[in-house]
Amino acid sequence: MKALLIFLLLALNMHPAVAQNYDRMRENMVRRQIRNRGIDHKPTLEAMLSVERHLFVPAGQQARAYDDGPVPIGYGQTISQPYIVAYMTQLADPKPGDRVLEIGAGSGYQAAVLGEIVEQVYTIEIIPELAARARGLLRELGYDNIEVLTGDGYYGLEKHAPYDAIVVTAAAEYIPPPLIAQLKDGGKMIIPVGSPFLVQTLMLIEKKGERITTTNLMPVRFVPFTRRN
Ligand code: SAH
């Protein structure tokens, strides 16, 4: 009985009607949650239409993949709400030739969205199991312009610096100085700053020569930026 049920579920999952359903859910997500809320950056909208978000959440969560909120991905972490991914991507202002650094690969979804737009994405994840999963999935999906590294993103990735944009998807108590140092002149960093589990502020950091400007964007809630100890 149980075996039959599992077979039916598997068969259903592979049915083309279900795949079409995900396409429709994704179109609705982009229209209702993203475009209707003012995101008009075309490359972001196109990337979020093409990246199959349901592949980035655990099998048991796929039905929730296009919901208007974060979804658990295991190890106490979440894939960010679609609107937040779109908002951060638009603000990073990614362009085709860019090199972008992400801190907090998680599921790999934000990296995939960036990878659709820019030339090269480096993304760092501190939880080895999540890093391995994201690496495997992104490779399977053919993103040969995305490299997933395991480690503490506090130090950034000196090797390929400077970056046109840095996107941080975990909330830090303060902005890690190495990340500011690795931002290109004219580059942009998006980072949630504040105490874990309290309301944080999404901030835009811009580097213009010696000048660093910061803009508070909106209150957000991200999982904490952790350190290796
Ligand atoms: N961008 C992800 C969101 C994942 S949530 C996505 O699209 O799915 C944030 C991730 O940041 C978590 O997976 C968490 O483990 C990771 N993280 C927290 N502190 C980190 C650090 N110091 N360095 C690298 N990754 C970190």
Side-chain angles (χ1 to χ4, degrees):
M1 185 61 201
K2 204 168 165 192
L4 180 67
L5 193 65
I6 288 169
F7 171 77
L8 282 174
L9 284 173
L10 282 175
L12 199 67
N13 206 20
M14 289 181 302
H15 196 278
V18 175
Q20 267 176 26
N21 215 9
Y22 281 132
D23 288 349
R24 207 170 43 234
M25 285 161 92
R26 198 158 54 253
E27 282 164 25
N28 284 336
M29 172 192 86
V30 170
R31 191 178 60 252
R32 294 182 191 152
Q33 300 176 33
I34 299 173
R35 230 178 31 213
N36 288 359
R37 290 185 190 149
I39 305 286
D40 56 9
H41 185 246
K42 222 167 155 233
T44 299
L45 296 171
E46 280 168 4
M48 292 193 65
L49 262 183
S50 59
V51 180
E52 299 190 274
R53 184 170 160 97
H54 60 279
L55 301 180
F56 291 81
V57 304
Q61 303 283 356
Q62 291 205 333
R64 292 177 58 192
Y66 297 98
D67 284 3
D68 191 10
V71 180
I73 55 170
Y75 306 92
Q77 308 305 322
T78 55
I79 179 174
S80 306
Q81 179 188 4
Y83 175 74
I84 292 291
V85 174
Y87 185 80
M88 291 175 82
T89 307
Q90 167 167 281
L91 271 165
D93 193 21
K95 297 190 184 67
D98 283 0
R99 188 162 64 231
V100 176
L101 176 67
E102 182 196 19
I103 311 299
S107 67
Y109 178 71
Q110 171 77 75
V113 170
L114 289 166
E116 290 281 331
I117 304 170
V118 304
E119 187 163 311
Q120 182 68 42
V121 179
Y122 298 97
T123 180
I124 309 179
E125 172 55 52
I126 202 163
I127 299 178
E129 292 84 353
L130 286 177
R133 201 163 75 190
R135 190 180 296 124
L137 177 61
L138 291 167
R139 189 182 304 143
E140 202 180 297
L141 296 177
Y143 288 100
D144 51 14
N145 64 336
I146 304 177
E147 195 176 322
V148 181
L149 299 108
T150 308
D152 183 353
Y154 180 91
Y155 304 100
L157 186 61
E158 184 61 49
K159 191 174 161 196
H160 300 291
Y163 301 96
D164 298 282
I166 300 180
V167 176
V168 183
T169 66
E173 304 253 359
Y174 61 93
I175 303 162
L179 298 185
I180 295 180
Q182 290 173 23
L183 202 54
K184 203 177 262 185
D185 187 4
K188 293 179 183 188
M189 167 157 47
I190 321 291
I191 178 170
V193 180
S195 297
F197 310 115
L198 294 177
V199 171
Q200 306 127 11
T201 305
L202 193 62
M203 295 179 78
L204 170 67
I205 320 296
E206 290 170 281
K207 194 181 206 175
K208 287 173 193 140
E210 293 294 288
R211 261 193 61 196
I212 309 287
T213 61
T214 65
T215 312
N216 291 359
L217 300 166
M218 65 167 155
V220 285
R221 238 183 119 156
F222 277 80
V223 296
F225 192 100
T226 55
R227 303 299 311 280
R228 206 179 245 162
N229 43 28

